[in-house]
Amino acid sequence: MTAFAAAAAGFPDPFRLLIRDSVESTNDEVRILGQAGAPEGLVLIAQNQSAGRGRRGAAWFASPGESLAFSILVRPTEAKALWPRLALAAGLAVAEAMDRFGLQAGIKWPNDVWLNGKKVAGILVEAGSDFAVVGIGINVNSTAFPAAISELATSMRIESGNAISLSEVLAAVVTRFSIRGRGLGQGFNDVLTAIRQRCVLTGHEVSLTAAHGMERGVVEGLGEGGELLLRTEAGMQRILQADEVRLVSR
Ligand code: BTN
Protein backbone atom coordinates (compact mmCIF):
# COMPACT_ATOMS: atom_id res chain seq x y z
CA MET A 1 0.00 0.00 0.00
CA THR A 2 2.96 2.38 0.33
CA ALA A 3 2.93 2.88 -3.44
CA PHE A 4 -0.59 4.27 -3.14
CA ALA A 5 0.51 6.64 -0.37
CA ALA A 6 3.39 7.85 -2.55
CA ALA A 7 1.06 8.40 -5.49
CA ALA A 8 -1.32 10.35 -3.26
CA ALA A 9 1.45 12.80 -2.41
CA GLY A 10 1.09 14.08 -5.98
CA PHE A 11 -2.70 14.40 -5.94
CA PRO A 12 -3.94 17.89 -6.84
CA ASP A 13 -5.85 19.84 -4.18
CA PRO A 14 -8.25 19.06 -2.56
CA PHE A 15 -7.82 15.34 -3.23
CA ARG A 16 -6.32 13.13 -0.54
CA LEU A 17 -6.25 9.40 -0.03
CA LEU A 18 -7.59 7.05 2.62
CA ILE A 19 -6.35 3.49 2.25
CA ARG A 20 -8.30 0.50 3.59
CA ASP A 21 -7.26 -3.16 3.54
CA SER A 22 -10.72 -4.55 3.19
CA VAL A 23 -14.23 -3.10 2.95
CA GLU A 24 -17.57 -4.31 1.63
CA SER A 25 -17.93 -1.39 -0.78
CA THR A 26 -15.82 1.75 -1.05
CA ASN A 27 -18.98 3.64 -2.05
CA ASP A 28 -20.60 2.71 1.28
CA GLU A 29 -17.52 3.83 3.23
CA VAL A 30 -17.41 7.18 1.49
CA ARG A 31 -21.16 7.67 1.89
CA ILE A 32 -20.75 7.28 5.68
CA LEU A 33 -17.89 9.80 5.67
CA GLY A 34 -19.90 12.17 3.48
CA GLN A 35 -22.85 12.01 5.86
CA ALA A 36 -20.45 12.78 8.72
CA GLY A 37 -19.39 15.97 6.93
CA ALA A 38 -16.06 14.93 5.34
CA PRO A 39 -14.84 17.52 2.85
CA GLU A 40 -14.83 17.19 -0.91
CA GLY A 41 -11.87 15.40 -2.45
CA LEU A 42 -11.66 12.39 -0.19
CA VAL A 43 -10.53 9.35 -2.19
CA LEU A 44 -10.98 6.01 -0.45
CA ILE A 45 -9.29 2.96 -1.93
CA ALA A 46 -9.55 -0.64 -0.75
CA GLN A 47 -7.14 -3.44 -1.50
CA ASN A 48 -10.02 -5.86 -1.16
CA GLN A 49 -13.67 -5.06 -1.73
CA SER A 50 -15.86 -7.96 -0.63
CA ALA A 51 -19.26 -6.68 -1.81
CA GLY A 52 -18.50 -4.22 -4.61
CA ARG A 53 -21.60 -2.99 -6.40
CA GLY A 54 -22.18 -2.21 -10.02
CA ARG A 55 -25.13 -0.43 -11.54
CA ARG A 56 -28.62 -1.88 -11.11
CA GLY A 57 -27.46 -3.68 -7.96
CA ALA A 58 -25.17 -6.06 -9.87
CA ALA A 59 -22.06 -7.38 -8.15
CA TRP A 60 -18.76 -5.83 -9.26
CA PHE A 61 -15.89 -8.27 -9.68
CA ALA A 62 -12.49 -6.93 -8.60
CA SER A 63 -9.43 -9.13 -8.27
CA PRO A 64 -7.40 -7.98 -5.21
CA GLY A 65 -3.97 -6.66 -6.11
CA GLU A 66 -4.84 -6.56 -9.81
CA SER A 67 -7.66 -4.08 -10.03
CA LEU A 68 -8.56 -0.70 -8.61
CA ALA A 69 -11.68 -0.07 -6.53
CA PHE A 70 -12.01 3.43 -5.12
CA SER A 71 -14.57 6.13 -4.46
CA ILE A 72 -14.33 9.90 -4.49
CA LEU A 73 -16.42 12.26 -2.35
CA VAL A 74 -17.64 15.34 -4.20
CA ARG A 75 -19.84 18.24 -3.13
CA PRO A 76 -20.93 19.85 -6.39
CA THR A 77 -22.15 23.43 -6.26
CA GLU A 78 -24.25 22.91 -9.40
CA ALA A 79 -27.96 22.05 -9.24
CA LYS A 80 -28.61 18.43 -8.35
CA ALA A 81 -30.30 17.89 -11.70
CA LEU A 82 -26.81 18.18 -13.23
CA TRP A 83 -25.16 15.62 -10.97
CA PRO A 84 -25.79 12.67 -13.32
CA ARG A 85 -23.14 14.36 -15.48
CA LEU A 86 -20.60 13.23 -12.87
CA ALA A 87 -20.73 9.72 -14.30
CA LEU A 88 -19.88 11.02 -17.77
CA ALA A 89 -17.10 13.22 -16.38
CA ALA A 90 -15.65 10.34 -14.35
CA GLY A 91 -15.78 7.95 -17.32
CA LEU A 92 -13.97 10.55 -19.40
CA ALA A 93 -11.35 11.01 -16.67
CA VAL A 94 -10.69 7.26 -16.63
CA ALA A 95 -10.50 7.08 -20.41
CA GLU A 96 -8.11 10.03 -20.57
CA ALA A 97 -5.94 8.55 -17.81
CA MET A 98 -5.49 5.50 -20.02
CA ASP A 99 -3.93 7.68 -22.73
CA ARG A 100 -0.87 7.91 -20.50
CA PHE A 101 -0.41 4.17 -20.76
CA GLY A 102 -0.72 4.13 -24.54
CA LEU A 103 -4.30 2.82 -24.47
CA GLN A 104 -7.04 4.43 -26.57
CA ALA A 105 -10.14 3.97 -24.42
CA GLY A 106 -13.69 4.54 -25.61
CA ILE A 107 -16.76 5.50 -23.61
CA LYS A 108 -19.84 3.36 -23.74
CA TRP A 109 -22.62 5.73 -22.67
CA PRO A 110 -23.54 6.30 -19.95
CA ASN A 111 -20.70 5.12 -17.72
CA ASP A 112 -18.57 2.27 -18.98
CA VAL A 113 -15.05 2.56 -20.32
CA TRP A 114 -14.11 0.21 -23.11
CA LEU A 115 -10.90 -1.05 -24.65
CA ASN A 116 -11.15 -2.91 -27.95
CA GLY A 117 -14.87 -3.55 -27.58
CA LYS A 118 -14.73 -4.85 -24.00
CA LYS A 119 -15.37 -3.25 -20.64
CA VAL A 120 -12.26 -2.22 -18.72
CA ALA A 121 -13.84 0.08 -16.13
CA GLY A 122 -17.20 1.03 -14.67
CA ILE A 123 -18.51 4.02 -12.75
CA LEU A 124 -21.20 4.05 -10.07
CA VAL A 125 -22.33 7.49 -8.89
CA GLU A 126 -24.56 7.58 -5.82
CA ALA A 127 -25.97 10.86 -4.50
CA GLY A 128 -26.45 11.78 -0.86
CA SER A 129 -28.30 14.84 0.41
CA ASP A 130 -25.50 17.36 -0.19
CA PHE A 131 -22.75 15.18 -1.66
CA ALA A 132 -22.17 12.49 -4.25
CA VAL A 133 -19.98 9.41 -4.23
CA VAL A 134 -18.18 8.62 -7.47
CA GLY A 135 -17.21 4.96 -7.39
CA ILE A 136 -14.67 3.75 -9.93
CA GLY A 137 -13.64 0.20 -10.68
CA ILE A 138 -10.81 -0.46 -13.16
CA ASN A 139 -9.45 -3.77 -14.38
CA VAL A 140 -5.76 -2.96 -14.46
CA ASN A 141 -3.72 -6.17 -14.32
CA SER A 142 -6.51 -8.76 -14.22
CA THR A 143 -5.89 -11.68 -16.56
CA ALA A 144 -8.98 -13.79 -15.86
CA PHE A 145 -12.63 -13.01 -15.16
CA PRO A 146 -15.64 -15.00 -13.92
CA ALA A 147 -17.25 -17.05 -16.72
CA ALA A 148 -20.33 -14.80 -16.81
CA ILE A 149 -18.31 -11.76 -17.89
CA SER A 150 -15.23 -13.29 -19.48
CA GLU A 151 -16.42 -12.49 -23.02
CA LEU A 152 -17.30 -8.91 -22.10
CA ALA A 153 -14.46 -7.79 -19.81
CA THR A 154 -10.85 -6.91 -20.39
CA SER A 155 -8.00 -5.23 -18.54
CA MET A 156 -5.33 -2.66 -19.26
CA ARG A 157 -2.76 -5.41 -19.02
CA ILE A 158 -4.55 -7.70 -21.47
CA GLU A 159 -4.86 -4.89 -24.01
CA SER A 160 -1.36 -3.46 -23.60
CA GLY A 161 0.55 -6.68 -23.00
CA ASN A 162 2.27 -5.09 -19.99
CA ALA A 163 1.78 -5.07 -16.24
CA ILE A 164 0.78 -1.58 -15.17
CA SER A 165 1.29 0.19 -11.85
CA LEU A 166 -1.99 0.42 -9.92
CA SER A 167 -0.83 3.52 -8.08
CA GLU A 168 0.14 5.28 -11.33
CA VAL A 169 -3.29 4.57 -12.76
CA LEU A 170 -4.94 5.86 -9.57
CA ALA A 171 -2.91 9.09 -9.69
CA ALA A 172 -3.66 9.59 -13.39
CA VAL A 173 -7.41 9.13 -12.87
CA VAL A 174 -7.58 11.49 -9.88
CA THR A 175 -5.61 14.10 -11.82
CA ARG A 176 -7.97 13.91 -14.81
CA PHE A 177 -11.02 13.83 -12.52
CA SER A 178 -9.81 16.99 -10.78
CA ILE A 179 -10.34 18.71 -14.16
CA ARG A 180 -13.29 16.85 -15.70
CA GLY A 181 -15.26 16.53 -12.46
CA ARG A 182 -15.52 20.30 -12.31
CA GLY A 183 -17.20 20.47 -15.67
CA LEU A 184 -20.81 19.85 -14.66
CA GLY A 185 -22.05 23.36 -15.40
CA GLN A 186 -20.36 25.74 -17.81
CA GLY A 187 -17.44 23.39 -18.41
CA PHE A 188 -19.73 20.60 -19.56
CA ASN A 189 -19.34 21.55 -23.21
CA ASP A 190 -15.66 20.60 -23.05
CA VAL A 191 -16.51 17.32 -21.34
CA LEU A 192 -19.13 16.60 -23.96
CA THR A 193 -16.82 17.39 -26.86
CA ALA A 194 -14.22 14.97 -25.51
CA ILE A 195 -16.79 12.27 -24.80
CA ARG A 196 -18.29 12.55 -28.29
CA GLN A 197 -14.86 11.80 -29.71
CA ARG A 198 -14.67 8.62 -27.66
CA CYS A 199 -18.30 7.47 -27.83
CA VAL A 200 -18.24 3.83 -29.00
CA LEU A 201 -22.00 3.73 -29.65
CA THR A 202 -22.26 6.50 -32.24
CA GLY A 203 -23.33 5.11 -35.61
CA HIS A 204 -24.27 1.73 -34.18
CA GLU A 205 -27.61 0.00 -33.68
CA VAL A 206 -28.40 -0.59 -30.01
CA SER A 207 -31.22 -1.86 -27.82
CA LEU A 208 -31.82 -0.45 -24.38
CA THR A 209 -34.37 -0.18 -21.59
CA ALA A 210 -35.27 3.44 -20.96
CA ALA A 211 -37.62 4.82 -18.31
CA HIS A 212 -40.59 4.38 -20.67
CA GLY A 213 -39.62 0.89 -21.91
CA MET A 214 -37.49 -0.88 -24.52
CA GLU A 215 -36.06 1.06 -27.41
CA ARG A 216 -34.08 0.00 -30.44
CA GLY A 217 -32.41 2.28 -32.90
CA VAL A 218 -29.24 3.79 -34.26
CA VAL A 219 -27.21 6.10 -32.01
CA GLU A 220 -26.66 9.48 -33.64
CA GLY A 221 -24.53 10.85 -30.83
CA LEU A 222 -24.97 12.78 -27.60
CA GLY A 223 -27.18 15.82 -27.05
CA GLU A 224 -26.26 19.05 -25.28
CA GLY A 225 -27.07 17.62 -21.85
CA GLY A 226 -25.19 14.38 -22.41
CA GLU A 227 -28.33 12.43 -23.34
CA LEU A 228 -28.19 9.68 -25.95
CA LEU A 229 -29.69 10.62 -29.32
CA LEU A 230 -31.36 7.49 -30.66
CA ARG A 231 -32.92 7.34 -34.13
CA THR A 232 -35.80 4.85 -33.84
CA GLU A 233 -38.61 3.90 -36.23
CA ALA A 234 -40.81 6.34 -34.28
CA GLY A 235 -38.31 9.17 -34.73
CA MET A 236 -35.48 10.68 -32.71
CA GLN A 237 -35.56 9.84 -29.01
CA ARG A 238 -33.55 11.66 -26.34
CA ILE A 239 -32.60 9.01 -23.78
CA LEU A 240 -31.68 10.54 -20.43
CA GLN A 241 -31.00 7.33 -18.54
CA ALA A 242 -31.03 3.70 -19.56
CA ASP A 243 -30.29 0.29 -18.22
CA GLU A 244 -27.84 -1.93 -20.06
CA VAL A 245 -27.29 -0.60 -23.55
CA ARG A 246 -26.53 -3.45 -25.94
CA LEU A 247 -24.95 -3.21 -29.34
CA VAL A 248 -27.32 -5.18 -31.56
CA SER A 249 -24.46 -6.64 -33.59
CA ARG A 250 -22.78 -8.18 -30.51
C1 BTN B 1 -20.73 -0.71 -13.20
O1 BTN B 1 -20.06 -0.82 -14.23
O2 BTN B 1 -21.81 -1.31 -13.08
C2 BTN B 1 -20.21 0.15 -12.10
C3 BTN B 1 -19.10 -0.49 -11.36
C4 BTN B 1 -18.57 0.36 -10.22
C5 BTN B 1 -17.62 -0.40 -9.33
C6 BTN B 1 -16.93 0.49 -8.35
S1 BTN B 1 -15.57 -0.31 -7.53
C7 BTN B 1 -15.46 1.01 -6.40
C8 BTN B 1 -16.88 1.44 -6.08
N1 BTN B 1 -17.41 0.66 -4.98
C9 BTN B 1 -18.46 -0.10 -5.35
O3 BTN B 1 -19.10 -0.86 -4.60
N2 BTN B 1 -18.69 0.07 -6.66
C10 BTN B 1 -17.79 1.05 -7.23
Side-chain angles (χ1 to χ4, degrees):
M1 280 295 187
T2 50
F4 284 138
F11 280 4
D13 275 347
F15 295 89
R16 68 211 178 287
L17 188 65
L18 275 183
I19 303 169
R20 295 280 185 267
D21 278 342
S22 187
V23 300
E24 289 192 350
S25 159
T26 57
N27 267 31
D28 291 346
E29 296 293 311
V30 169
R31 173 180 287 272
I32 291 166
L33 294 167
Q35 285 165 342
E40 167 161 89
L42 177 81
V43 181
L44 188 141
I45 191 163
Q47 173 81 6
N48 184 38
Q49 186 175 237
S50 58
R53 278 197 309 281
R55 294 175 68 222
R56 304 177 305 281
W60 174 256
F61 167 77
S63 40
E66 295 179 335
S67 52
L68 283 173
F70 61 99
S71 302
I72 306 174
L73 177 65
V74 294
R75 295 186 179 277
T77 51
E78 292 83 1
K80 221 166 181 177
L82 301 183
W83 291 14
R85 295 179 176 183
L86 275 170
L88 293 170
L92 177 61
V94 172
E96 290 179 337
M98 291 188 185
D99 289 348
R100 291 215 193 163
F101 302 90
L103 292 165
Q104 296 295 306
I107 291 178
K108 179 184 173 243
W109 185 94
N111 45 12
D112 289 351
V113 181
W114 271 18
L115 284 176
N116 290 333
K118 293 184 173 184
K119 180 167 174 169
V120 66
I123 313 291
L124 178 66
V125 176
E126 296 176 318
S129 54
D130 59 352
F131 65 88
V133 179
V134 180
I136 301 177
I138 308 175
N139 304 326
V140 180
N141 288 322
S142 327
T143 51
F145 298 95
I149 58 166
S150 63
E151 297 293 309
L152 308 171
T154 191
S155 72
M156 295 175 73
R157 178 175 186 161
I158 289 170
E159 300 303 329
S160 69
N162 300 310
I164 292 175
S165 158
L166 293 173
S167 56
E168 283 178 27
V169 176
L170 174 69
V173 172
V174 170
T175 300
R176 291 310 304 163
F177 184 75
S178 72
I179 298 162
R180 295 311 195 180
R182 298 200 185 287
L184 304 189
Q186 284 193 331
F188 191 63
N189 266 347
D190 289 347
V191 170
L192 205 48
T193 301
I195 290 179
R196 284 178 173 140
Q197 286 165 3
R198 293 179 186 262
C199 180
V200 298
L201 298 179
T202 301
H204 293 279
E205 189 174 8
V206 302
S207 65
L208 55 82
T209 310
H212 53 274
M214 284 279 294
E215 289 284 3
R216 184 169 170 150
V218 175
V219 174
E220 297 222 334
L222 299 178
E224 297 304 307
E227 74 279 17
L228 196 72
L229 303 178
L230 190 68
R231 167 83 52 200
T232 70
E233 281 183 357
M236 182 71 86
Q237 309 280 332
R238 291 180 177 268
I239 311 290
L240 298 175
Q241 276 297 330
D243 280 351
E244 185 66 15
V245 182
R246 293 181 192 280
L247 282 165
V248 169
S249 56
R250 292 196 101 206

